């Protein structure tokens, strides 16, 4: 697997020793009665406890990382979806500064939030959480000395891009945490849903292009097929606009609208933060002239799962797309 070069991985198996206690029941008047044997179940006879030793891996940007044998406290900003999928509650969760990822709050309600509104928080923000393992979803998070500083707190593993290939990232995180079985089950369910949804939409996606537009307070931009909703659209069989092909995202201006080249347009207004930009674009005659607009194939998508990554987010995005295209 890419970025997961295990240098040393051994298991110490401690076999519990079971004692069968024979208790003689009797007194002076019952001296000749047979002894009573305490029953022992098969599960008790086969009981084993497996303890994993620490091991060393190379992360996806080339850092050697020592992984503890047992990891209970994980800090993984932007990767909460992956942890929830594996049944893990992080010590803190990523936040915009005003709210965390809403679609995960059934599982993460009450978990401390750490704001990324002004970039990667300082290590001092995290040190009191006492994490045993830190995971960063992309190399961008670990630039400018961030990795060096955070790795002083705990073992820090950096992905090149965990936001796109969610299956590979889920497998890697599961190996780091010793949760491979849970990952296998979750990935199997995801792949089944993906193939079923692709088949369901095959007649719609064939030869068609779709574009995902994300709008926030700073700008509006096209999302490529490397992550988020753009990744899901691509996985379902849609081609993408040349304006964003080969890129994670691309800012667009009013003058570029006529070049969108999309049969279907999906727009996510970041909780209303992109209202001003979207209003300007939608009032343009260039927008009105787009084939997708004229054919009524523009969809306003809701929910921050469209701008999040992980098996949970991508399955929810698939459901939305089906609902839009096959109401």
């Amino acid at each position: 697997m890419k970025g997961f070069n295990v240098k040393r991985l051994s298991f110490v198996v401690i076999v519990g020793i079971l004692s069968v206690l024979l208790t003689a029941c009797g007194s002076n008047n019952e001296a000749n009665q047979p002894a009573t044997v305490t029953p022992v179940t098969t599960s008790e006879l086969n009981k084993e406890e497996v303890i994993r030793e620490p091991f060393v891996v190379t992360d996806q940007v080339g850092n050697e990382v020592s992984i503890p044998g047992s990891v209970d406290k994980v800090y993984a900003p932007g990767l909460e979806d992956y942890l929830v999928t594996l049944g893990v509650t992080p010590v803190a969760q990523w936040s915009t500064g005003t709210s965390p990822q809403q679609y995960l709050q059934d599982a993460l309600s009450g978990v401390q939030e750490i704001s990324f509104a002004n970039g990667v928080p300082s290590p001092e923000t995290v040190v009191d959480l006492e994490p045993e393992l830190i995971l960063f979803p992309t190399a961008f998070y670990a630039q400018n000395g961030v990795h060096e500083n955070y790795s002083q707190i705990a073992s820090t593993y950096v992905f090149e891009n965990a936001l796109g290939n969610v299956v590979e990232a889920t497998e890697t995180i599961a190996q780091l945490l010793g949760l491979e079985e849970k990952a296998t089950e979750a990935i199997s369910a995801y792949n089944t849903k993906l193939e079923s949804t692709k088949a369901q939409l095959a007649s719609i996606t064939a030869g068609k292009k779709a574009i995902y537009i994300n709008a926030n307070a700073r700008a509006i931009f096209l999302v490529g097929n490397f992550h988020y909703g753009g990744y899901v659209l691509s996985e379902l069989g849609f081609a993408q606009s040349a304006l964003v092909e080969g890129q994670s995202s691309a800012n667009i201006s009013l003058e570029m609208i006529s070049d969108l080249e999309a049969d279907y347009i999906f727009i996510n207004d970041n909780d209303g933060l992109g209202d001003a930009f979207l209003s300007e674009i939608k009032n343009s005659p260039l927008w009105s002239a787009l084939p997708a607009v004229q054919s009524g194939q523009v969809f306003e998508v809701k929910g921050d799962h469209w701008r999040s990554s992980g098996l949970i987010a991508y399955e929810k995005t698939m459901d939305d797309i089906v609902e839009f295209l096959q109401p």
Side-chain angles (χ1 to χ4, degrees):
M1 178 173 299
K2 181 180 178 183
F4 199 89
N5 176 23
V6 179
K7 289 191 171 181
R8 178 166 59 87
L9 179 59
S10 62
F11 295 88
V12 176
V13 178
I14 301 176
V15 180
I17 302 175
L18 303 175
S19 297
V20 179
L21 301 178
L22 302 179
T23 305
C25 298
S27 62
N28 290 335
N29 295 327
E30 299 175 333
N32 295 323
Q33 295 297 317
T36 300
V37 180
T38 303
V40 180
T41 65
T42 303
S43 60
E44 287 176 314
L45 289 172
N46 294 331
K47 190 179 294 180
E48 295 181 347
E49 182 184 0
V50 178
I51 299 177
R52 192 176 69 162
E53 286 189 342
F55 57 97
V56 177
V57 300
T58 301
D59 71 13
Q60 294 187 357
V61 296
N63 302 305
E64 286 194 350
V65 187
S66 297
I67 306 299
S70 175
V71 180
D72 295 317
K73 295 183 176 181
V74 185
Y75 175 57
L79 293 171
E80 290 84 358
D81 189 311
Y82 302 76
L83 296 185
V84 172
T85 294
L86 297 173
V88 176
T89 301
V91 294
Q93 61 179 321
W94 176 94
S95 171
T96 61
T98 57
S99 66
Q101 293 162 297
Q102 292 302 302
Y103 77 99
L104 293 175
Q105 291 315 294
D106 284 349
L108 299 182
S109 177
V111 174
Q112 179 178 333
E113 300 173 25
I114 293 185
S115 173
F116 276 69
N118 297 313
V120 179
S122 67
E124 290 75 17
T125 309
V126 177
V127 67
D128 289 341
L129 300 172
E130 300 181 343
E132 297 161 334
L133 179 63
I134 298 171
L135 306 174
F136 283 133
T138 69
F140 173 80
Y141 275 59
Q143 294 177 344
N144 303 319
V146 170
H147 177 269
E148 289 77 5
N149 291 331
Y150 270 80
S151 60
Q152 299 301 310
I153 301 173
S155 298
T156 301
Y157 185 101
V158 183
F159 286 89
E160 183 177 352
N161 176 26
L163 308 181
N165 192 332
V166 292
V167 169
E168 179 185 278
T170 300
E171 290 173 337
T172 299
I173 293 173
Q175 291 185 36
L176 295 175
L177 300 178
L179 297 171
E180 292 90 340
E181 186 174 343
K182 286 189 176 181
T184 298
E185 293 173 358
I187 290 168
S188 177
Y190 171 79
N191 284 333
T192 297
K193 184 179 184 69
L194 175 60
E195 292 307 314
S196 173
T197 306
K198 284 174 65 175
Q200 188 175 351
L201 298 177
S203 62
I204 296 174
T205 62
K208 300 295 184 181
K209 292 184 177 182
I211 195 71
Y212 168 42
I213 297 176
N214 194 8
N216 58 33
R218 295 184 297 274
I220 64 171
F221 54 94
L222 309 179
V223 179
N225 64 350
F226 293 101
H227 57 192
Y228 305 153
Y231 176 86
V232 179
L233 289 169
S234 179
E235 286 289 278
L236 292 178
F238 283 110
Q240 62 180 165
S241 169
L243 289 178
V244 73
E245 192 169 3
Q247 303 179 63
S248 294
S249 64
N251 287 8
I252 60 173
S253 63
L254 196 61
E255 294 75 20
M256 297 168 63
I257 292 177
S258 58
D259 297 324
L260 280 181
E261 299 181 84
D263 301 286
Y264 299 90
I265 298 174
F266 298 85
I267 302 175
N268 188 209
D269 184 355
N270 258 286
D271 301 322
L273 296 176
D275 283 350
F277 290 110
L278 289 173
S279 177
E280 180 183 12
I281 283 181
K282 289 179 180 179
N283 288 326
S284 167
L286 296 176
W287 176 264
S288 302
L290 289 175
V293 176
Q294 293 186 345
S295 61
Q297 302 295 344
V298 178
F299 307 101
E300 303 277 350
V301 305
K302 306 293 183 184
D304 55 6
H305 54 278
W306 272 83
R307 50 185 187 272
S308 300
S309 170
L311 299 183
I312 299 171
Y314 289 179
E315 287 186 9
K316 292 175 76 69
T317 300
M318 285 185 224
D319 289 338
D320 288 348
I321 293 170
V322 170
E323 186 174 346
F324 284 125
L325 300 184
Q326 290 189 332

